[in-house]
Amino acid sequence: MEEFFQQLTNGLAVGGIYALIALGYTMVYGVLKLINFAHGDLFTLGAYLGLSLLTSLGLSGRLGPLAGLLLLALLVMGFVALTGALLERAAYRPLRQSPRLSAVVSALGASIFLQNTIMLLYGARIHVYPQDILPKVAIDIGGLSIPLVRILVFVVSLLLMGALYLFIQRTRLGTAIRAAAIDQAAARLMGINVDQVILIVFLIGPGLGGVAGLLVGLYYGQVNFTMGWVYGLKAFTAAILGGIGNIPGAMVGGLILGVIEAMGAAYISVAWKDAIAFMVLIVILIVRPTGILGERVADKI
Amino acid sequence: MGFQQPVTNMTDSKYKIAGFGALILLLAVSPLFLNAYWVDVLNSVGLYALLALSLNVILGDAGLYNMGHAAFFAVGAYAAAYLNTQCGLPILWALPVSGILAGLFGLLLARPVIHLRGDYLLIVTVGVGEIVRIALINNLFGITGGPNGIFGIARPELFGFRIRRPLEFFYLIWGFVAVTVFLFARLKNSRFGRALDCLREDPIAAEGSGINTGRYQLLAFMLGAAWAGMAGCLYATKMTIISPESFSFWESVLIFIIVILGGAGNISGVILGTFLIIGLPELFRGFASARMWVFGLAMMIMMVFRTEGILPHRPRLFKGLDRLLP
Amino acid sequence: MKRTVVWGLTWVMVLAGAGLGLADSIKIGLMAPVTGSWASEGEDMKHIVNLLAAELNAKGGLLGQQVEVVLEDDGGDPRTASLAAQRLATQGVKAVIGTYGSSVTEASQSIYDESSILQVANGSTAIRLTEKGLKYFFRTCPRDDEQGRVAAQTIQKMGFKKVAILHDNTSYAKGLADEGNALLKKDGVQIVFFDALTPGERDFTAILTKLKAAKPDVVFFTGYFPELGLILRQKKEMNWPVPFIGGDATNNPDLVKIAGKDAAAGYYFLSPPVPQDLPYEKTKAFLKSYTAKHGAAPGSIWAVLAGDGFLTVTEAIKTTKTTDPTKLAAFLHGGKQKISGLTGEIGFNAKGDRVGEVYRVYRVDAGGNFVLQAK
């Protein structure tokens, strides 16, 4: 039983990161109906930028660990958000009126481009974050030993998700985003600047992805240029699992995917873990064709 | 979709046919003055053209988002490799068998999920691709050879002649491509092709016109899967060794890109797309480690400038229409 | 207009991509993964071979000619490798160095053999590569069965009774894990865990929790260093003190950087000597000039073995005074050859495998250094 709960916390910690990345997928999808395959590489960019800023500016030394990390996160968020907006302008906006899959291919091209840009700039070798930033303490809760950093990462993910949820539900801009997601033409008629909404979505989504990259770098300590491909696919799966376009869905999907993986590895087979996760996904989609929290949309008639 | 002025008149189509003929002739004689490397690049293009044409039936014609096509490619390749190395079946006999097995696998798989909407179907096919790859790596039923794959696959023999060199493979592969293009072009103009056109553009109208949409979608899926399986058989005999890394998610993505970038639903477009996507990275070898960077950039540029693919699918026009229009 | 721009761009790229040839030089091919997941290995291979070639050319080259290294990218994937091999074969190379992955090498083997080009692989340790009776194939790295034997021996000598084996389902790691599994079982050692992780992931806590429940005395890890670094680090966070012993793919200084010194301390691995430990004057001088040029010593032994491949080929050409592959192969198979390489004396048996004991046991000390253990 102790092992079960240990695996549950393992799964939730991994799932928290999936969920954070999945938010970027789901936000962009909600408004543009575009699967942004470059999102995983924006996540990688966040991890690398975080490393560069961390080692070159020495923020935590000057401002103390907490303020330093906060500033670092804001910087990374800003840079990656800017890249995301540029990407939207260059690679997606010209394709907005074309068949949906064209934009998907452009996104795949952007993904290859970004990934190789990172490789050419930083080299192909694995890069390592400094080790002494976060405390290495484990907390004992009822016989379970959970590293403090894992809890921190999880809490930060939850806070960011909560903030985003409130932003979408409670603010004027959030309302505009929701309106544009439902019907762009109608939103335009209601005086909503849809282009601006899309820009904001492409600032927030990649920004969150960048922070997720920073968190992964800080916690796991190791980054390489292909990491976005693995995390991107997992996060996309999570977004679909929860019902793509739906923000609570991305959170739920991410956490569930993490837990399924941990349990599959624990009780069936480690080598088959990913296959098990996909099988569960397929079964869930057969039962609920639009994901766990996805709304059932009636087909156009 | 508005009425378009029909673009074909007699002289136009004559030029078109002459142009196509010249291109085909050029391709047919090209191995005679290319070195073995470029012939092998053309072989690679031919194999991917087969894969892309088969995906085109599913993605372009039926409009079903499939990003796990490597799964069917893998089933065909492994079936051929197993039958050849374990049961001694000559590789050209294994060709139809691997097609049938891959087609059946496609049918079995598509049956419960075919009703899923766009992107949900897309992730399901991605998942299937990954499940197949993981099963191959983990040596399912002890017949896939695990991460090592299967090696020692025989070369094809035709009337006692053993196909071995790149030049000989060129004619085998492109001969099969030619047959495929002929069959698929005929299919497009058949009742089946018209039904697919209709249900892709508007499934509800199609249903209303008495088309059994589910059945046609399944048929298209099965046909595409079967053809990918046969491409797998050719791949296996050409490489003589197959291993799971040749059937990764990336391969599925590549085939998907070819179809969309070339022009979904358009056979010439898909073949041109294959030349670009498989050929360009070879041309970019001079860039060394920047080669994939240039490739990604080229992909974005091409998509932005040709938003519907390089040769977009043109909606079918009623032949008598030009007489009706002023 | 737009179309003209696109096609113009395409053609510029085509022309820029067209290969350049130099007359009057001996061409030696290098097939390396300079893109893809193993790009870091490929980069080191490229640097080492280029530096060796530059040194050789500065001394007057070979047989009065300059040596030109022709690099082709195999992308770490079999299909790209077969095209790279075809391309090298048509460019008139006399011999090819490379490559890293076993299945990647395998896809290129028959092409070189059919074109009578000497191939010296540097990182492909799968047993069957040299069991096919190919005349022109050699490798400077040891084979998996050799490593499996040394691993089983070492584990038993250390007195472990319950062993967990973790691999990563790559051709190499699975081969080594199977080899070790069979040998250990035969000698009555209990295997309590045998499973594979997924390369490229970051979180291995689920696997570690499961491993811990199996209560092994030691974990034998046959995969690569990026994953192992994370595993050691997460194991430390779990406060689980079980010892780990690993294969030669974990031999990389980045391992300690990823894991952190305190988590890596006490880790054992088997490997040919690490670059910095090679006791030869020649090697030390080479590594010095390498470090001066590229800012850091080469990361892995495999890239150094590519350098050995280059030295093998050039020495053979120098001694036999010919570039005829059949004569070169006969010379290398002869068993009388004494080539001084970066990793010591190089010699090959009739199959093309390198002869001699290469494996050593290393332990990571508290300072993060790889310390050679007494035999």
Side-chain angles (χ1 to χ4, degrees):
Chain A
M1 210 54 211
E2 194 184 311
E3 197 193 335
F4 175 83
F5 282 110
Q6 186 75 55
Q7 292 290 16
L8 190 68
T9 62
N10 293 342
L12 286 175
V14 179
I17 302 222
Y18 291 164
L20 198 53
I21 310 170
L23 286 178
Y25 272 107
T26 229
M27 278 192 75
V28 168
Y29 187 90
V31 175
L32 279 180
K33 304 286 174 284
L34 162 73
I35 310 163
N36 180 14
F37 273 106
H39 189 64
D41 301 283
L42 291 167
F43 157 85
T44 315
L45 186 67
Y48 272 88
L49 276 177
L51 177 63
S52 289
L53 293 172
L54 195 65
T55 45
S56 59
L57 299 182
L59 284 174
S60 49
R62 277 183 227 167
L63 299 171
L66 197 65
L69 282 181
L70 210 61
L71 185 61
L72 180 70
L74 286 175
L75 280 174
V76 167
M77 210 180 212
F79 270 118
V80 180
L82 216 62
T83 317
L86 274 175
L87 192 68
E88 192 273 329
R89 186 69 196 79
Y92 303 152
R93 192 176 294 184
L95 289 159
R96 212 179 283 164
Q97 304 306 327
S98 9
R100 283 187 47 208
L101 292 182
S102 299
V104 171
V105 168
S106 184
L108 285 165
S111 163
I112 300 172
F113 176 77
L114 276 175
Q115 182 179 325
N116 283 280
T117 307
I118 295 170
M119 186 192 93
L120 292 172
L121 286 179
Y122 286 88
R125 271 173 101 153
I126 283 171
H127 286 256
V128 180
Y129 268 63
Q131 299 251 343
D132 43 5
I133 306 166
L134 297 172
K136 282 184 187 162
V137 194
I139 297 179
D140 277 305
I141 308 171
L144 300 180
S145 148
I146 306 165
L148 179 65
V149 182
R150 288 199 90 117
I151 300 174
L152 279 179
V153 169
F154 189 66
V155 170
V156 170
S157 310
L158 283 188
L159 282 179
L160 282 170
M161 287 186 255
L164 181 69
Y165 185 71
L166 287 179
F167 169 75
I168 298 285
Q169 294 296 329
R170 296 286 163 82
T171 63
R172 276 180 71 85
L173 254 173
T175 313
I177 291 176
R178 275 184 294 142
I182 294 165
D183 190 332
Q184 282 196 22
R188 205 166 261 135
L189 291 175
M190 293 295 147
I192 292 171
N193 184 344
V194 174
D195 279 335
Q196 198 192 346
V197 165
I198 290 172
L199 184 70
I200 287 167
V201 164
F202 264 97
L203 286 170
I204 299 176
L208 287 174
V211 172
L214 177 68
L215 280 178
V216 165
L218 280 172
Y219 175 49
Y220 294 109
Q222 178 238 68
V223 293
N224 69 328
F225 68 97
T226 53
M227 66 196 273
W229 195 240
V230 179
Y231 274 98
L233 186 60
K234 290 274 165 72
F236 176 48
T237 311
I240 288 271
L241 184 62
I244 193 157
N246 181 314
I247 286 172
M251 302 186 215
V252 173
L255 294 178
I256 289 183
L257 184 65
V259 172
I260 293 174
E261 279 187 10
M263 294 301 165
Y267 295 106
I268 306 174
S269 158
V270 184
W272 284 84
K273 168 177 74 92
D274 287 0
I276 295 163
F278 275 120
M279 283 178 209
V280 173
L281 171 82
I282 293 173
V283 170
I284 290 178
L285 287 184
I286 289 174
V287 181
R288 285 193 63 93
T290 50
I292 296 171
L293 294 184
E295 288 156 39
R296 288 185 179 260
V297 190
D299 278 321
K300 54 170 178 173
I301 293 184
Chain B
M1 195 182 311
F3 283 102
Q4 287 178 339
Q5 194 69 27
V7 282
T8 46
N9 55 44
M10 276 313 279
T11 43
D12 253 14
S13 63
K14 248 186 204 163
Y15 282 126
K16 221 173 166 181
I17 289 170
F20 268 126
L23 275 178
I24 290 168
L25 198 68
L26 184 71
L27 184 68
V29 298
S30 59
L32 303 177
F33 50 85
L34 288 174
N35 65 28
Y37 162 66
W38 283 109
V39 174
D40 229 28
V41 170
L42 286 179
N43 288 342
S44 204
V45 171
L47 276 173
Y48 276 90
L50 282 177
L51 288 171
L53 285 169
S54 68
L55 179 63
N56 187 36
V57 175
I58 301 173
L59 178 64
D61 295 342
L64 299 166
Y65 294 6
N66 173 3
M67 210 187 248
H69 209 49
F72 311 116
F73 181 39
V75 169
Y78 269 86
Y82 182 77
L83 290 172
N84 178 261
T85 56
Q86 300 299 315
C87 316
L89 190 69
I91 205 77
L92 288 180
W93 285 103
L95 188 68
V97 182
S98 52
I100 291 169
L101 286 175
L104 283 179
F105 178 67
L107 180 70
L108 220 69
L109 173 96
R111 185 69 195 80
V113 297
I114 202 95
H115 64 282
L116 290 177
R117 281 194 308 135
D119 306 296
Y120 291 92
L121 184 60
L122 187 125
I123 194 74
V124 164
T125 51
V126 169
V128 169
E130 283 295 278
I131 292 171
V132 167
R133 190 183 60 82
I134 293 169
L136 294 177
I137 285 194
N138 285 308
N139 204 356
L140 188 70
F141 310 132
I143 59 173
T144 67
N148 290 329
I150 301 180
F151 50 99
I153 303 157
R155 301 290 200 186
E157 262 181 59
L158 210 59
F159 309 117
F161 178 75
R162 196 132 165 260
I163 297 177
R164 199 174 57 88
R165 292 188 304 144
L167 178 78
E168 296 150 7
F169 264 107
F170 175 88
Y171 289 104
L172 176 71
I173 292 170
W174 282 95
F176 197 67
V177 174
V179 172
T180 307
V181 169
F182 176 75
L183 289 178
F184 283 7
R186 302 279 302 186
L187 200 65
K188 252 183 144 32
N189 289 316
S190 70
R191 186 186 177 81
F192 179 70
R194 287 194 300 273
L196 287 187
D197 267 355
C198 183
L199 76 86
R200 180 191 62 237
E201 297 300 332
D202 193 338
I204 289 146
E207 192 99 53
S209 328
I211 296 171
N212 186 341
T213 49
R215 189 166 148 265
Y216 275 105
Q217 283 176 329
L218 274 181
L219 270 177
F221 209 96
M222 198 169 88
L223 181 67
W227 230 265
M230 289 199 274
C233 174
L234 288 180
Y235 178 80
T237 179
K238 179 162 181 309
M239 298 292 284
T240 69
I241 159 173
I242 50 171
S243 59
E245 62 228 69
S246 304
F247 308 99
S248 60
F249 174 47
W250 171 244
E251 294 297 315
S252 299
V253 170
L254 210 58
I255 308 168
F256 187 89
I257 291 173
I258 291 172
V259 173
I260 302 299
L261 192 113
N266 182 327
I267 291 179
S268 332
V270 168
I271 291 181
L272 185 62
T274 318
F275 270 95
L276 288 175
I277 296 292
I278 304 301
L280 281 187
E282 294 304 318
L283 291 176
F284 294 162
R285 273 187 180 274
F287 292 105
S289 21
R291 143 179 114 97
M292 293 312 281
W293 182 82
V294 180
F295 177 66
L297 188 65
M299 223 167 101
M300 275 195 290
I301 294 175
M302 284 192 280
M303 217 62 242
V304 166
F305 282 95
R306 299 286 299 174
T307 54
E308 291 181 37
I310 299 182
L311 294 178
H313 173 69
R314 291 270 165 253
R316 187 193 310 276
L317 287 172
F318 172 49
K319 279 276 163 52
L321 206 60
D322 43 352
R323 266 178 278 137
L324 297 177
L325 289 170
Chain C
M1 178 54 206
K2 277 177 182 171
R3 191 183 294 179
T4 329
V5 172
V6 175
W7 285 116
L9 269 177
T10 314
W11 278 111
V12 167
M13 289 163 179
V14 171
L15 294 177
L20 299 158
L22 286 170
D24 257 14
S25 58
I26 295 179
K27 287 185 183 171
I28 293 179
L30 170 63
M31 188 167 86
V34 293
T35 63
S37 323
W38 301 117
S40 61
E41 295 285 345
E43 230 168 49
D44 281 357
M45 284 166 68
K46 180 178 80 181
H47 289 158
I48 286 183
V49 172
N50 279 339
L51 186 58
L52 283 171
E55 284 179 358
L56 184 67
N57 283 335
K59 282 188 217 146
L62 262 187
L63 310 180
Q65 293 178 12
Q66 293 281 292
V67 171
E68 184 195 345
V69 176
V70 185
L71 171 73
E72 286 299 341
D73 176 24
D74 63 50
D77 125 83
R79 187 181 65 86
T80 316
S82 75
L83 286 174
Q86 287 286 3
R87 190 167 161 84
L88 283 169
T90 54
Q91 285 182 328
V93 298
K94 303 296 174 199
V96 170
I97 319 296
T99 186
Y100 182 67
S102 290
S103 53
V104 189
T105 297
E106 184 146 29
S108 69
Q109 267 185 320
S110 60
I111 295 165
Y112 293 128
D113 193 61
E114 281 167 15
S115 328
S116 312
I117 292 171
L118 208 67
Q119 180 178 17
V120 189
N122 62 307
S124 309
T125 52
I127 298 164
R128 66 173 187 276
L129 295 178
T130 44
E131 295 289 337
K132 302 172 174 172
L134 294 176
K135 207 166 105 193
Y136 302 109
F137 183 79
F138 297 86
R139 57 178 151 194
T140 50
C141 54
R143 303 197 328 180
D144 286 345
D145 49 354
E146 166 72 6
Q147 189 182 178
R149 192 180 59 74
V150 179
Q153 225 172 39
T154 313
I155 288 171
Q156 280 171 298
K157 213 158 63 183
M158 288 174 166
F160 296 119
K161 295 278 172 271
K162 282 158 73 183
V163 179
I165 299 180
L166 182 64
H167 60 100
D168 67 0
N169 251 334
T170 57
S171 191
Y172 156 77
K174 180 80 191 317
L176 180 54
D178 283 342
E179 201 75 35
N181 191 17
L183 286 172
L184 286 169
K185 264 188 186 154
K186 206 177 68 191
D187 291 336
V189 176
Q190 202 186 341
I191 306 294
V192 293
F193 180 98
F194 188 94
D195 211 333
L197 56 82
T198 311
E201 290 202 332
R202 295 233 156 4
D203 198 298
F204 299 109
T205 46
I207 296 167
L208 281 168
T209 307
K210 195 179 181 186
L211 262 173
K212 193 177 176 184
K215 298 194 175 63
D217 295 338
V218 67
V219 179
F220 178 38
F221 177 78
T222 64
Y224 292 79
F225 70 92
E227 286 79 25
L228 180 74
L230 291 166
I231 288 179
L232 290 178
R233 187 171 165 150
Q234 288 161 23
K235 172 175 87 90
K236 172 92 186 164
E237 275 176 358
M238 283 171 65
N239 295 323
W240 184 35
V242 73
F244 263 62
I245 180 165
D248 52 18
T250 59
N251 175 5
N252 192 307
D254 283 350
L255 172 71
V256 179
K257 277 202 234 155
I258 298 164
K261 282 177 189 157
D262 50 344
Y267 170 67
Y268 288 96
F269 65 88
L270 308 160
S271 170
V274 301
Q276 291 73 7
D277 255 5
L278 295 166
Y280 317 103
E281 284 312 310
K282 176 181 177 173
T283 318
K284 283 184 180 145
F286 175 75
L287 287 177
K288 210 173 190 180
S289 58
Y290 184 97
T291 312
K293 186 158 182 214
H294 298 291
S300 85
I301 188 72
W302 309 109
V304 179
L305 288 171
D308 269 356
F310 182 81
L311 292 174
T312 303
V313 170
T314 50
E315 274 300 313
I317 293 176
K318 208 195 256 170
T319 319
T320 57
K321 298 199 170 42
T322 170
T323 56
D324 175 15
T326 315
K327 284 183 188 147
L328 291 176
F331 168 74
L332 291 173
H333 278 141
K336 294 187 294 290
Q337 74 286 36
K338 290 260 187 290
I339 295 167
S340 107
L342 295 170
T343 59
E345 207 155 76
I346 307 169
F348 299 94
N349 64 15
K351 287 175 179 169
D353 279 319
R354 187 166 175 180
V355 291
E357 277 272 314
V358 254
Y359 277 103
R360 302 277 189 282
V361 179
Y362 276 88
R363 184 173 184 273
V364 183
D365 72 4
N369 305 306
F370 293 172
V371 185
L372 187 62
Q373 302 294 292
K375 273 193 189 175

